């Protein structure tokens, strides 16, 4: 039986990219191909004039009904958050109620809390629409989304006092406003903007935390209290979900430390945007071990540990391996094979269980 499925995510490519976007596109296309009606809502521009939120219909993309949320809350991505009040502003819930009554979804799949008002989930509760949240990262618990600092997992944040240091380099609200504008969407892939973005993102390879800003104890306590309020705001949103789909048992265990979980299940996820290199499929085997890493080359993804181990292996004289990366890396290696445009084939499947539906990908062999 066909369903009306709404997804809330960061937006369509090329405006947004990364694993979350790929996964959402794969899932929406798969559902559309199965005969379901698919609707996408994403956080768009923040007006420089009017502050009233509304939802604007945009041109369909791949037969997916496309709606832009105008004047959402700021979208910080992984840059961090400084001004907590701007990320927890309330809005008129009737805007969301009217939209949901109009599209009448059977289920809403939320892939991120970024840009979304808490009133949206209050509206789904009142309208008795089931919601499922997929945990693509730790946003909501950690403003920087990674729960990673100083080269290791953030197990203890000292009542969010450590959040002050981690988030002090967050983008200003004006920069975020520009990055969410329709103008930026149109020039994002221009040579100059790509160069500026690459220079900015290169610093993320180092994952260094700056020193604690010079604040007195009263200021530190105030800021830590604000970050605790921010976490509580998002935890309240998460607890309003009908169901949480965790991408790993580790993720579930971490979320469980901060909140009482609603009904949930662990199902691993991936994406299908990668196609095998058929041209070279029949090349002569060289008996080398081929290691493929789909994750970004960043410490919180384990890249540093992987490189350290392979460097030692290479230095010992064992050169019988190749590491294939599909993302930019900070330093080249003789054993590295980098293909940022590369693709690798997987089979994508979707499962429905009552009002719940889950997604998974199985590698083709």
């Amino acid at each position: 039986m066909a369903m009306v499925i709404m997804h809330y995510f960061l937006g369509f490519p090329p405006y947004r990219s990364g694993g979350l976007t790929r996964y959402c596109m794969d899932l929406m296309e798969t559902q559309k191909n199965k005969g379901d009606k698919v609707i996408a809502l994403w956080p768009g521009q923040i007006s420089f004039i009017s502050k009233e939120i509304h939802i604007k219909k945009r041109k369909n993309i791949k037969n997916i009904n496309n709606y832009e949320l105008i004047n959402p809350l700021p979208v910080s991505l992984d840059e961090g958050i400084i001004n907590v009040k701007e990320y927890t502003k309330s809005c008129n819930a009737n805007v969301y109620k009217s939209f949901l009554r109009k599209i009448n979804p059977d289920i809403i799949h939320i892939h991120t809390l970024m840009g979304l008002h808490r009133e949206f989930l209050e509206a789904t509760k009142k309208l008795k629409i089931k919601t499922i949240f997929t945990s693509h990262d730790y946003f909501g618990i950690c403003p920087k989304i990674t729960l990673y600092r100083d080269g290791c997992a953030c197990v203890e944040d000292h009542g969010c006092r450590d959040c002050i240091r981690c988030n002090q380099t967050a983008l200003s609200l004006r920069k975020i406003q520009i990055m969410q504008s329709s103008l930026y969407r149109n020039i994002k892939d221009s040579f100059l903007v790509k160069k500026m973005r690459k220079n900015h993102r290169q610093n993320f390879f180092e994952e260094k935390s700056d020193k604690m800003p010079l604040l007195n104890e009263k200021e530190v306590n105030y800021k830590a209290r604000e970050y605790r309020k921010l976490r509580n705001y998002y935890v309240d949103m998460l607890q309003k979900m009908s169901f949480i789909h965790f991408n790993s048992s580790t993720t579930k265990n971490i979320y469980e430390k901060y909140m009482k979980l609603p009904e949930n299940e662990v199902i691993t996820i991936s994406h299908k945007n990668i196609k095998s290199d058929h041209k070279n499929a029949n090349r002569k085997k060289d008996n080398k071990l081929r290691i493929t890493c789909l994750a970004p080359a960043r410490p919180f993804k384990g890249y540093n540990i992987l490189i350290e181990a392979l460097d030692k292996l290479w230095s010992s004289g064992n050169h019988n391996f190749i590491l294939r990366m599909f993302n930019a890396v900070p330093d080249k290696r003789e054993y590295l094979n980098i293909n940022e445009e590369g693709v690798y084939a997987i089979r994508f499947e979707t499962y429905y269980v009552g009002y719940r539906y889950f997604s998974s990908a199985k590698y083709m062999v």
Side-chain angles (χ1 to χ4, degrees):
M1 182 177 176
M3 298 176 70
V4 178
I5 305 168
M6 177 191 144
H7 290 265
Y8 178 82
F9 73 135
L10 289 173
F12 291 91
Y15 175 48
R16 296 299 187 194
S17 59
L20 184 154
T21 301
R22 290 192 209 107
Y23 172 76
C24 293
M25 290 303 298
D26 288 340
L27 182 52
M28 289 190 293
E29 287 179 55
T30 301
Q31 291 165 342
K32 187 67 185 174
N33 292 338
K34 285 179 175 288
D36 295 316
K37 181 178 180 181
V38 181
I39 298 162
L41 175 67
W42 50 278
Q45 62 181 311
I46 301 174
S47 174
F48 288 89
I49 303 171
S50 171
K51 299 304 176 186
E52 292 297 317
I53 73 161
H54 62 281
I55 296 169
K56 191 168 185 177
K57 180 73 173 71
R58 296 297 187 186
K59 184 179 178 182
N60 288 2
I61 295 177
K62 296 188 175 182
N63 293 319
I64 297 166
N65 291 270
N66 178 14
Y67 290 89
E68 178 181 357
L69 174 60
I70 308 294
N71 288 325
L73 294 174
V75 175
S76 58
L77 301 177
D78 58 359
E79 300 280 355
I81 292 172
I82 290 180
N83 191 332
V84 169
K85 287 183 172 61
E86 291 295 326
Y87 289 81
T88 56
K89 281 186 173 180
S90 60
C91 74
N92 183 355
N94 289 329
V95 174
Y96 286 125
K97 286 179 186 175
S98 297
F99 173 69
L100 293 174
R101 286 192 183 105
K102 175 184 173 183
I103 64 171
N104 194 27
D106 293 303
I107 189 165
I108 300 173
H109 193 158
I110 298 171
H111 299 271
T112 182
L113 300 179
M114 290 187 192
L116 193 63
H117 300 85
R118 183 163 55 186
E119 284 78 5
F120 177 86
L121 287 164
E122 291 172 356
T124 63
K125 284 285 186 184
K126 289 211 168 175
L127 297 175
K128 298 181 179 179
I129 302 171
K130 299 297 183 181
T131 54
I132 178 170
F133 175 78
T134 292
S135 62
H136 292 274
D137 50 46
Y138 295 115
F139 185 80
I141 293 172
C142 169
K144 295 276 286 185
I145 82 170
T146 61
L147 273 179
Y148 186 94
R149 60 182 173 82
D150 297 334
C152 58
C154 178
V155 178
E156 170 58 68
D157 59 26
H158 303 98
C160 289
R161 291 170 74 93
D162 294 336
C163 297
I164 302 169
R165 181 179 63 174
C166 285
N167 289 273
Q168 65 176 311
T169 57
L171 296 179
S172 68
L173 290 171
R174 180 51 59 95
K175 283 185 179 178
I176 290 175
Q177 196 170 16
I178 292 170
M179 290 175 66
Q180 287 182 230
S181 68
S182 56
L183 173 63
Y184 180 79
R185 262 176 261 158
N186 293 327
I187 65 173
K188 182 182 177 183
D189 282 340
S190 66
F191 174 79
L192 180 60
V193 174
K194 284 172 86 171
K195 185 177 175 65
M196 291 170 61
R197 197 167 69 244
K198 185 175 182 179
N199 290 339
H200 171 71
R201 298 298 292 178
Q202 190 65 32
N203 296 328
F204 276 67
F205 284 125
E206 299 178 5
E207 295 288 345
K208 291 180 179 177
S209 292
D210 295 322
K211 293 180 180 178
M212 188 74 167
L214 296 174
L215 301 171
N216 60 44
E217 189 64 16
K218 184 177 180 180
E219 290 172 319
V220 169
N221 288 336
Y222 170 77
K223 286 183 175 291
R225 190 162 58 248
E226 286 296 288
Y227 282 116
R228 290 196 296 272
K229 286 180 183 177
L230 181 67
R231 180 179 287 165
N232 290 337
Y233 177 86
Y234 289 127
V235 164
D236 182 60
M237 291 179 74
L238 290 167
Q239 289 179 326
K240 284 180 167 59
M241 302 290 176
S242 308
F243 196 90
I244 296 183
H245 161 209
F246 290 106
N247 59 350
S248 72
S249 56
T250 299
T251 304
K252 176 181 175 178
N253 291 339
I254 290 173
Y255 270 80
E256 218 161 14
K257 287 172 54 181
Y258 295 91
M259 58 182 282
K260 183 179 179 181
L261 299 178
E263 192 178 357
N264 63 86
E265 190 162 330
V266 176
I267 299 177
T268 57
I269 64 176
S270 188
H271 60 82
K272 70 172 182 182
N273 274 22
I274 318 184
K275 298 177 183 176
S276 57
D277 185 357
H278 295 293
K279 291 181 180 178
N280 297 318
N282 296 320
R283 66 188 172 195
K284 186 178 179 180
K285 300 290 183 182
D286 56 13
N287 293 321
K288 284 192 175 183
L289 172 65
R290 280 169 170 75
I291 306 166
T292 299
C293 180
L294 299 177
R298 295 180 61 184
F300 71 87
K301 293 289 187 178
Y303 176 76
N304 288 13
I305 297 172
L306 175 61
I307 287 295
E308 183 181 350
L310 295 181
D311 279 350
K312 288 180 180 178
L313 196 59
W314 189 269
S315 298
S316 71
N318 187 340
H319 299 169
N320 198 32
F321 63 91
I322 294 172
L323 173 61
R324 300 179 66 193
M325 295 291 299
F326 292 87
N327 293 278
V329 298
D331 300 299
K332 303 294 175 64
R333 299 288 196 282
E334 289 185 66
Y335 56 78
L336 264 174
N337 183 337
I338 305 160
N339 187 355
E340 292 186 54
E341 303 300 324
V343 287
Y344 190 88
I346 58 178
R347 182 170 70 251
F348 195 80
E349 298 175 351
T350 304
Y351 302 91
Y352 293 90
V353 185
Y355 71 80
R356 303 173 242 164
Y357 64 93
F358 310 108
S359 317
S360 71
K362 296 183 179 179
Y363 287 95
M364 295 174 69
V365 294

